[in-house]
Amino acid sequence: MMGNTMSLVSAALKEGRVAPTELCQRCLSLIKSTKFLNAYITVAEETALKQAEESEKRYKRGQPLGVLDGIPIAVKDNFNTAGIETTCASNMLKGYISPYNATVVQKLLDQGAVLLGKTNLDEFAMGSGSTDGVFGPVRNPWSYSRQYKEKSVPKSHSEDKDSNWVITGGSSGGSAAAVSSFTCFAALGSDTGGSTRNPAAHCGVVGLKPTYGLISRHGLIPLVNSMDVPGILTRCVDDAAVVLGSLAGHDPKDSTTIQDNFKPFELSDLTDVSKLSIGIPKEYHAPGLSSEILALWSKAADLFKNAGAKVIEVSLPHTRYSIVCYHVLCTAEVASNMARFDGLEYGHRSDMNKSTESMYAATRREGFNDVVRGRILSGNYFLLKQNYENYFIKAQKVRRLIANDFVKVFGSGVDILLTPTTLSDAIPYMEFIKEDNRTRSAQDDILTQAANMAGLPAINVPTALSERGLPVGLQFIGRSFQEKQLLTVAKWFEKQVKFPMIQLDEVKRHDHGVFQHQKSASFLEHRT
Amino acid sequence: SKLFSGSQVQFAAPPNSLVSFFDASLPGTLPVLNRRCVEAAVMTGLALNCSINKKSLFDRKHYFYADLPAGYQITQQRVPIAVNGSLSYSLCIDNKMSQMVTKTVRIKQIQLEQDSGKSLHDDVRSQTLVDLNRAGVGLMEVVMEPDMCCGEEAAAAVRELQLILQTLGSSQAVMAEGQLRVDANVSVHHPGEPYGVRTEVKNINSIRFLAKAVDYEIERQIEELESGGTILNETRAFDSKLGCTVPMRDKEGKQDYRFMPEPNLPPLILYNARSLPANMNHQQVVNIDWIHERLPDLPSVKRAKLVEQYGILPEHSFTLLNEAGLTEFFEDVIKQTQMKPKKVIGWILNDLLSYLKQHSLTVKESPVSSFLLADLLNRLEKKEISSTAAKQVFAELWKGEGKTPLEIVKEKKLQLIQDQEDLERICQAVIDGQENEVMAIKSGNRKVLNKLIGLVQRETQGRSNPVLVKQLLEKKLSE
């Protein structure tokens, strides 16, 4: 049951085969037993159960609000949730209880979803490992999977299983881990340079980055306002479409959302791909791309070709400038967005009270980690009058070039681009931390970032297991606001590759224990 | 409401009672542009003959201060909403109202931006109290070119701007409530040479102080330069008690505001009739032409109309517009009286207005209503009372005891003698009693006639119409 897709569980709820409260309890219980993953910062047990109770009442009346009614979900801790702590994994907001819900959170709640808790992330979403938050790093559930354990050779008998765990990727690692370890059926992440797709790839789940402007950012604590989008993490592409349908659309509170009416869609089963044109951008054969992933990418291209689609190599010539461009624009916006954290109105306030200036300085030194402070300093440097033209303006121009690369390619008849999502499978934490956050981000973002620059929709689809038994995903990038086409193709691909389900002992134990009195074995490892 | 949020705007509300999540800079909140503010800016731009930029942009201006919760102000630094306008204003030469000259100051630009909150420094307890009620309120910054040459010009220009804003309704522009704030940039130079270094003068709280501050600063700079010193490009505060400018405590040295485009606000696009797309929702667009068509008459137009319609002098029209409610009062009286406007204006400006000023009252607070004044003027017109008597009645009306002009006239026995025979009798009596004067008059000294008129007036206790008396006397003397 726990490993099921949201759509299947939703059907079970509707048919009364499982009750919302039971489902909620099981998730909460599983969260407790997978605490070592450190995926959750806050578990909102009481409110979740209340929500589940309300949902149950509705189902009993035969009036569920929709497919999401009673479905346990998790939300990344950089979304505002009224009455539930929102920390952004930072000392600056420890204990901060927001008075309002982010629009996307409100929409989910309005649909009857059950909010289990807030998930862990890199501090203020800055990072590609989910390792740099004040609550500690998130562990990839696959570290404890049978698939990984079978393939990993312990260096010595006394080696703790714990020391070899791999990262989730980031910055929405907590959300990805939560979905991957079955503690919830969908989770919200955010995506600024790949922060939803990257951990999705490492954790073997679907990670959707919608087109910029499609989903409201009101209530999402911003990293880079001109690139941020709320991200959707689910176990299958259909589920992502369902969640997208409940979230997309104009929000008067967010002036960057488009005005056009959005119509939620159901994904049809694509049978004929012959009219499809898949582009393979050669620049995405990036330095550092593992041979394993390169091979997988190639195999995927062949899959499309053999099914009759047109697969052509394309060029996005300005890809190699995207890291530097992103660095300038991102740090500049960070410097600006973080200026509000002064300890006066909310959040951490230092005890230093000699003067306003000293209070500000101490508060910000105490509240932010090195990564955040580093980006603020860089960003302010680029925004200085004497540097603005050479850095910020230049970067904006480069951004335009990068976006135009996509326009040209899509304009030439290509429907979807197929690329790797990450350079390799998830690496062990001990190895990851050998390099600093900036270096890691620069390396890891290369394949995902350009889509944020151009505001395009992109999705990670779990594809296969690596030699080490860890998930590897591939990325599809689509045209602006053409999520339907993007997801349709992704769904076809997902069907072809039949990515295996994670074999987590904890979950198995869990499911068995609770299900002893129920005949639901058929749900355990069944997936369409 | 505020420029980017729905909070109310209200002077002197309890501290921090008008603060939305966005105003307090709670993380995750986003700005949403207030349409009314845009319309007000467009109206003001049009009234000041500006070009309205069909596309304008918003920027962030960064600095840290306790009353700036987000650490930046949203403003329009790159492309403001209106540029290149002009403002015409009039001055009296040599303080003579009858000699007015029109001048023009160029308007560089008008930009929309957020106001900051207020900080109150409590040095006793070593603390600063922050009130965010004002944070985020919409401001229009009107930037003028340095075309003015003295305090009087600056004051006249700002006064005219104030009237325009009030007429448009885009601001109440009351300086005492901070609705209109003025910073003066002053520099001096020898004719023919480039402009000197300028200083910025802040803390000017009234138009009168503006003139004083500007004139003081001009003198200070001249003195400084003539004694071999230099002018620093600094900010100075006007001290109204001492009547001088003092350097402001420079907290941070030269600031780099690290301007950056505001990423949460798309460019502001305005339309005119030609560029308006057919299928656009009317609610979603601001149409410049539509606003232009609905602009009310500006003060200059109103003044011209008053002069034309009522035959009053231009300087009269200035006074009428300068006093809130006075034009309406004047026109109300006109409607209710047969007296010609050219005569009514005298009563309005010389009598009513001087009484109001003496007692520091506004037109609204006048104890004499337009109805009462019109009644009084009618009686004067019908020659029921003399003009001297009318002034007496006015003084009585001013006491606001609720008496009508008629009641006062009766009470004080101010009615002019209507009976002509009676009057003739008295005239004859005076003539009979003043032989010498009569002879003088008959021999050509017309001036002495006034003495006789005066005597008749005395005899009648001022209740005779001097014009009529003169006629009667002349008639009798020529017999």
Side-chain angles (χ1 to χ4, degrees), chain B residues 164-204:
Chain B
I164 292 175
L165 292 170
Q166 288 165 350
T167 304
L168 293 173
S170 52
S171 170
Q172 298 306 306
V174 174
M175 278 183 87
E177 291 186 7
Q179 295 166 340
L180 173 63
R181 278 171 251 162
V182 183
D183 294 334
N185 290 284
V186 183
S187 72
V188 297
H189 64 280
H190 287 301
E193 286 180 12
Y195 283 28
V197 174
R198 65 178 165 92
T199 61
E200 185 182 18
V201 181
K202 285 172 146 2
N203 197 37
I204 298 169

Side-chain angles (χ1 to χ4, degrees), chain A residues 181-429:
Chain A
S181 60
F182 305 144
T183 58
C184 64
F185 293 89
L188 288 185
S190 65
D191 196 312
T192 308
S195 289
T196 289
R197 293 161 285 157
N198 176 297
H202 287 316
C203 293
V205 297
V206 170
L208 170 63
K209 174 210 169 293
T211 311
Y212 182 88
L214 183 61
I215 299 187
S216 171
R217 289 181 299 112
H218 168 77
L220 166 60
I221 298 176
L223 175 60
V224 182
N225 285 292
S226 62
M227 297 186 208
D228 289 350
V229 290
I232 297 170
L233 295 136
T234 55
R235 291 199 207 125
C236 69
V237 177
D238 268 330
D239 289 353
V242 169
V243 178
L244 179 70
S246 69
L247 295 181
H250 175 65
D251 182 6
K253 295 194 186 111
D254 179 352
S255 308
T256 59
T257 51
I258 49 157
Q259 306 271 357
D260 304 346
N261 280 323
F262 171 79
K263 291 193 195 72
F265 49 80
E266 250 186 61
L267 294 177
S268 54
D269 275 313
L270 193 61
T271 43
D272 175 22
V273 298
S274 59
K275 296 199 185 72
L276 215 53
S277 171
I278 306 287
I280 309 288
K282 63 181 186 193
E283 291 82 4
Y284 279 60
H285 185 355
L289 186 65
S290 78
S291 47
E292 225 180 2
I293 296 194
L294 184 60
L296 209 61
W297 186 19
S298 184
K299 215 168 146 186
D302 288 339
L303 195 70
F304 278 101
K305 210 183 296 177
N306 295 336
K310 191 166 145 207
V311 178
I312 53 171
E313 189 186 74
V314 296
S315 176
L316 299 168
H318 297 93
T319 304
R320 63 198 168 114
Y321 303 119
S322 64
I323 296 277
V324 173
C325 177
Y326 178 75
H327 181 72
V328 172
L329 296 178
C330 172
T331 53
E333 284 219 32
V334 164
S336 178
N337 290 333
M338 297 297 145
R340 66 186 57 211
F341 295 105
D342 51 26
L344 273 188
E345 299 88 11
Y346 49 82
H348 173 67
R349 181 196 281 219
S350 167
D351 289 330
M352 165 70 71
N353 59 3
K354 283 216 195 77
S355 69
T356 312
E357 283 86 4
S358 63
M359 194 266 278
Y360 272 34
T363 296
R364 290 163 72 79
R365 194 187 337 110
E366 292 162 16
F368 292 138
N369 71 4
D370 283 351
V371 179
V372 177
R373 279 164 43 229
R375 293 199 194 187
I376 293 173
L377 288 169
S378 302
N380 277 327
Y381 176 79
F382 296 134
L383 289 176
L384 288 175
K385 216 164 166 182
Q386 73 252 33
N387 294 327
Y388 185 73
E389 182 80 36
N390 286 332
Y391 288 97
F392 192 87
I393 299 274
K394 273 266 165 61
Q396 283 195 312
K397 291 181 179 173
V398 173
R399 182 177 178 179
R400 173 61 61 194
L401 291 175
I402 293 171
N404 282 345
D405 279 355
F406 286 99
V407 171
K408 281 200 199 99
V409 164
F410 284 128
S412 71
V414 170
D415 299 307
I416 304 275
L417 297 171
L418 168 62
T419 79
T421 313
T422 54
L423 295 173
S424 70
D425 57 3
I427 64 177
Y429 174 72

Side-chain angles (χ1 to χ4, degrees), chain A residues 121-179:
Chain A
L121 59 153
D122 283 302
E123 182 162 339
F124 279 110
M126 298 187 206
S128 60
S130 302
T131 52
D132 280 321
V134 293
F135 297 104
V138 184
R139 299 187 184 197
N140 192 327
W142 284 83
S143 314
Y144 304 95
S145 69
R146 193 170 297 175
Q147 289 105 325
Y148 178 62
K149 285 193 250 186
E150 274 167 7
K151 296 291 179 72
S152 64
V153 182
K155 295 211 177 76
S156 70
H157 285 293
S158 58
E159 190 181 78
D160 192 359
K161 72 159 182 179
D162 263 8
S163 64
N164 214 25
W165 58 269
V166 299
I167 57 166
T168 51
S171 60
S172 312
S175 282
V179 174

